[in-house]
Structures are given as structure tokens and as C-alpha cells.
């Protein structure tokens, strides 16, 4: 019954989100230059003193904090689904500053070698969670179940499974100083230094998670019962101000 409730909630959210996304085409036709600002930091909407293993922080990153209406609606929806969580956002420059401050020069040097923003974001999400803990969400990812209920108070980590049963990295929940994230970070560093792999997916992305983590041994949930992507927004609205386009286009160049 619980699974059915989550499935119905996921389908309803997807339907409403897609309708809103369609209406946003008209909005940006009328207001083509209108953008909304994502805050670098926002306090929880509801304060809670109950301790949790995973800190109540949502992390996101993007090449800019000035976003279209669909991306901003996606942000607002996640805030509503996680009212007890602080929100933190970093642009490209802020990511680099964070890594330079919290990690050895070797790690920062490897990060700086990455030429595609998505690959940098892949590496950063593991690094920031390893220091602070919390929940990472891609800029187009949205929750399908209240985050506080999803994580509970004792859960130490949670990963997303795709339809194929693989792990993805568009949602990662973890306590700080995680042995799982440590393995991922070491593998990404090794991939960059070896420079033998081709493609963001295998160098810094989900390919790393699936190679170094035991899929059956980690705490995971099917994406539709926790978090999915692309309902509120799409590639057009996400990269409207980025001529290079999505990372897979940059990769070809």
C-alpha cells in the first residue's frame, strides 16, 4: 500500500509538473529575458531539533544562479517537499573556491583539469557531501516524496536506482565522512590522473558509482519512489543562456 501511494504521488506530480512546463513556454515567449535568482543559502522553512544522521541540507549547483521560470518552479517545489531542510547553492566559481579551501592541492588540480561543467559538478557533489553531508539534487531533479519521511532520522545514506537497476548520481543523500563517498572520490581522482577513459559518464559520473560501490550492498530506492528528473524543466529551459548547450554536446567538442 505504501508503494502504491508513492507511485500515485509520483505520477500526479509528474502530470502537474509537465502541465506547468508547457505553460512556461508562453510565459517566456511574452517575457523572454525574465530570470529568477536561486539563493546561495536559504534557511529551513520549518525548524526541527530532532537529530538526524544525514544533515538537513539540500545542495545544488549550476553554471548560473539566474534561471528560467521552470527551473525556479522546480526549486520551489523541492523546498515545499523538504521544509525542514536548509538550501545551499553554488555556481561554478563557488565550487572551485570550496574545493580549494577544503581539499588538498592535488584534488583541486584534478578538479581544475575537468573542462566540462557537468564533470566538475559530478566531482564537486561527492566532495561537498563528504565534508558537510546532506542531500545533493541535480538542478532538474525533483522529489516525489517528502524528503524528511524518505530519509528518516537514522538512515546514513541513500542512493537512487534507475529503471535498469543501476545507480545514478543525480540524487545522493549521505552523512559526512562516508566510506562510500571516499571510494567514489578516490576513483574519480584516479580516473582524471590516468586520463584513459572517454566520456563524463565513466570519468566522474554514474559509471564511477556503479564500478566502486556494491549496488546490492548500498541503501537505495527506485527513482520513482524518491526523486526523478525533467518533469518541471527540460534542456531548452536549463541551457537557454548557455550557447554550449548540455554537457553531452560539449563532450563531442
Amino acid at each position: 500500500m505504501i508503494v502504491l501511494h508513492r507511485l500515485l504521488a509520483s505520477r500526479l506530480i509528474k502530470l502537474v509538473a509537465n502541465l506547468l512546463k508547457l505553460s512556461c513556454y508562453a510565459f517566456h515567449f511574452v517575457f523572454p529575458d525574465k530570470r529568477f535568482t536561486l539563493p546561495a543559502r536559504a534557511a529551513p522553512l520549518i525548524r526541527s531539533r530532532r537529530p538526524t544522521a544525514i544533515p538537513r541540507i539540500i545542495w545544488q549547483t549550476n553554471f548560473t544562479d539566474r534561471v528560467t521560470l521552470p527551473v525556479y518552479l522546480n526549486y520551489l517545489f523541492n523546498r515545499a517537499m523538504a521544509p525542514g531542510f536548509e538550501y545551499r547553492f553554488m555556481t561554478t566559481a563557488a565550487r572551485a573556491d570550496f574545493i580549494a579551501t577544503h581539499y588538498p592541492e592535488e584534488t583541486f588540480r584534478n578538479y581544475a583539469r575537468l573542462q566540462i561543467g557537468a564533470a566538475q559538478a559530478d566531482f564537486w557533489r561527492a566532495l561537498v557531501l563528504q565534508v558537510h553531508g546532506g542531500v545533493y539534487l541535480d538542478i532538474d531533479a525533483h522529489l516525489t516524496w517528502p524528503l524528511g519521511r524518505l530519509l528518516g532520522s537514522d538512515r546514513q545514506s541513500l542512493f537512487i536506482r534507475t529503471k535498469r537497476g543501476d545507480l545514478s548520481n543525480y540524487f545522493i543523500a549521505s552523512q559526512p565522512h562516508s566510506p562510500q563517498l571516499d571510494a567514489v572520490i578516490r576513483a574519480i581522482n584516479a580516473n582524471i590522473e590516468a586520463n584513459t577513459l572517454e566520456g563524463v559518464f565513466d570519468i566522474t559520473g554514474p559509471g564511477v558509482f556503479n564500478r566502486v560501490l556494491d549496488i546490492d550492498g548500498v541503501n537505495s530506492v527506485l527513482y520513482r519512489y524518491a526523486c526523478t528528473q525533467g518533469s518541471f524543466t527540460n534542456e531548452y529551459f536549463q541551457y537557454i543562456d548557455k550557447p554550449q548547450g548540455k554537457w553531452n554536446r560539449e563532450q563531442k567538442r
Side-chain angles (χ1 to χ4, degrees):
M1 184 62 70
I2 293 177
V3 171
L4 178 60
H5 286 169
R6 291 193 182 187
L7 179 61
L8 291 175
S10 176
R11 295 288 173 82
L12 179 59
I13 291 168
K14 184 175 182 179
L15 174 62
V16 173
N18 275 286
L19 291 174
L20 288 171
K21 179 168 59 180
L22 286 174
S23 69
C24 287
Y25 282 99
F27 177 87
H28 280 288
F29 178 80
V30 177
F31 305 104
D33 298 323
K34 178 65 177 176
R35 299 294 181 266
F36 301 83
T37 302
L38 296 176
R41 191 166 187 164
L45 301 176
I46 301 173
R47 295 282 184 180
S48 176
R49 295 182 179 180
R50 184 168 60 105
T52 57
I54 297 174
R56 294 190 184 91
I57 308 170
I58 290 178
W59 296 94
Q60 288 194 304
T61 186
N62 194 36
F63 67 95
T64 177
D65 60 354
R66 300 283 292 165
V67 299
T68 57
L69 180 58
V71 177
Y72 194 69
L73 291 176
N74 195 97
Y75 154 76
L76 292 177
F77 180 79
N78 284 328
R79 290 282 282 163
M81 291 287 277
F85 285 70
E86 179 184 345
Y87 179 81
R88 299 189 193 180
F89 175 87
M90 289 192 188
T91 59
T92 303
R95 290 197 309 256
D97 290 342
F98 170 83
I99 296 170
T101 300
H102 291 88
Y103 281 90
E105 182 179 349
E106 179 184 7
T107 300
F108 179 75
R109 186 167 60 247
N110 284 336
Y111 173 83
R113 289 181 63 186
L114 297 170
Q115 299 178 39
I116 297 176
Q120 294 177 348
D122 280 341
F123 199 5
W124 167 83
R125 70 191 65 177
L127 294 171
V128 76
L129 290 179
Q130 186 68 334
V131 173
H132 294 295
V135 180
Y136 170 81
L137 297 176
D138 267 4
I139 202 68
D140 67 336
H142 67 83
L143 300 162
T144 60
W145 198 250
L147 188 55
R149 294 185 185 180
L150 183 66
L151 299 181
S153 58
D154 299 324
R155 196 189 296 270
Q156 298 178 352
S157 65
L158 184 65
F159 296 89
I160 285 289
R161 295 194 314 273
T162 67
K163 285 183 179 179
R164 298 185 302 273
D166 299 329
L167 296 176
S168 186
N169 70 339
Y170 71 82
F171 170 103
I172 309 168
S174 176
Q175 62 182 359
H177 313 300
S178 160
Q180 296 163 334
L181 291 181
D182 180 63
V184 168
I185 290 167
R186 285 189 282 107
I188 293 175
N189 270 314
N191 289 343
I192 297 170
E193 291 169 0
N195 197 25
T196 57
L197 297 174
E198 294 184 3
V200 172
F201 187 93
D202 291 317
I203 297 173
T204 60
V208 180
F209 286 75
N210 287 283
R211 181 165 56 84
V212 305
L213 299 181
D214 177 10
I215 297 177
D216 296 323
V218 300
N219 200 341
S220 65
V221 63
L222 186 63
Y223 72 99
R224 63 167 58 99
Y225 301 132
C227 183
T228 189
Q229 292 177 288
S231 300
F232 284 89
T233 185
N234 57 24
E235 185 174 338
Y236 170 75
F237 288 120
Q238 286 174 243
Y239 299 99
I240 195 170
D241 296 320
K242 188 178 182 184
Q244 303 96 315
K246 193 176 179 180
W247 65 267
N248 52 1
R249 295 185 183 180
E250 289 186 86
Q251 182 172 264
K252 293 178 181 178
R253 297 193 293 270

